[in-house]
Amino acid sequence: ERMGKRLCDSLLLVAKDEDTGSLLGMVGLEVTLFDKSIGNILSAEKSELMMKNAVASLGPKQRREYKDASVQEIAEQLLSPDVTSICCLSNLAVSPLARRRGVAVKLCTELESIVKQIGYRLIVLKVEKENDAARRLYEDKLGYSLECEVPNDVAMRADPESGAFVETSADAVVLAKEL
């Protein structure tokens, strides 16, 4: 049965320099859930748990019907109308040596193409509200629009002394784009 399988697919798209093979940038994509009632993108772990619980609540015969169901099918048929399956762009990073060369736009455009190929027509992302450079990229250059605001969201910061990531709080926005 579906209970032991991972439901939320993810991928990492990488751009490398053709001549040197050095890493220019990367961006992640994750199929997950968006809960309109709380206005936030759910983590893959929460999404997996929500879908597995929905399938587990069914009788044995019904569970078998969802054995090979997609995230979209489970979300549409078993979850609240406030919860929808989405593709989430995440962790866009471009090498400092490759910035201002269109790498971020190319990575995002390619990712949007992949999203269409897997049957989604909406891509979302979350970014810190005060990250003006990222918001200019997403909103002005790539055509994303504000879906909702997420006050006091969890944000990650690199600690320069330890090199570790530290959780902190920051206001965020969810941006979306119809493909």
Side-chain angles (χ1 to χ4, degrees), residues 9 38 73 79 99 134 154 163:
D9 292 325
I38 61 170
E73 292 169 323
L79 301 179
R99 292 188 181 150
V154 176

Side-chain angles (χ1 to χ4, degrees), residues 8-101:
C8 296
D9 292 325
S10 62
L11 67 85
L12 184 65
L13 187 61
V14 175
K16 291 185 176 184
D17 184 284
E18 290 178 8
D19 298 327
T20 66
S22 62
L23 183 66
L24 299 176
M26 65 181 81
V27 64
L29 177 71
E30 187 168 61
V31 175
T32 190
L33 298 175
F34 180 76
D35 188 339
K36 295 175 194 168
S37 69
I38 61 170
N40 209 348
I41 300 166
L42 302 182
S43 69
E45 294 79 19
K46 286 182 184 177
S47 296
E48 294 271 351
L49 183 61
M50 183 180 282
M51 289 183 289
K52 287 180 180 181
N53 286 342
V55 172
S57 70
L58 303 171
K61 185 177 179 181
Q62 289 175 302
R63 279 197 306 268
R64 281 190 292 279
E65 292 175 17
Y66 288 94
K67 181 180 177 198
D68 295 315
S70 69
V71 171
Q72 285 176 307
E73 292 169 323
I74 293 171
E76 289 170 4
Q77 296 171 18
L78 300 178
L79 301 179
S80 158
D82 285 338
V83 178
T84 57
S85 65
I86 57 165
C87 283
C88 182
L89 181 153
S90 65
N91 303 315
L92 174 64
V94 175
S95 165
L97 300 174
R99 292 188 181 150
R100 301 270 181 230
R101 294 184 7 204

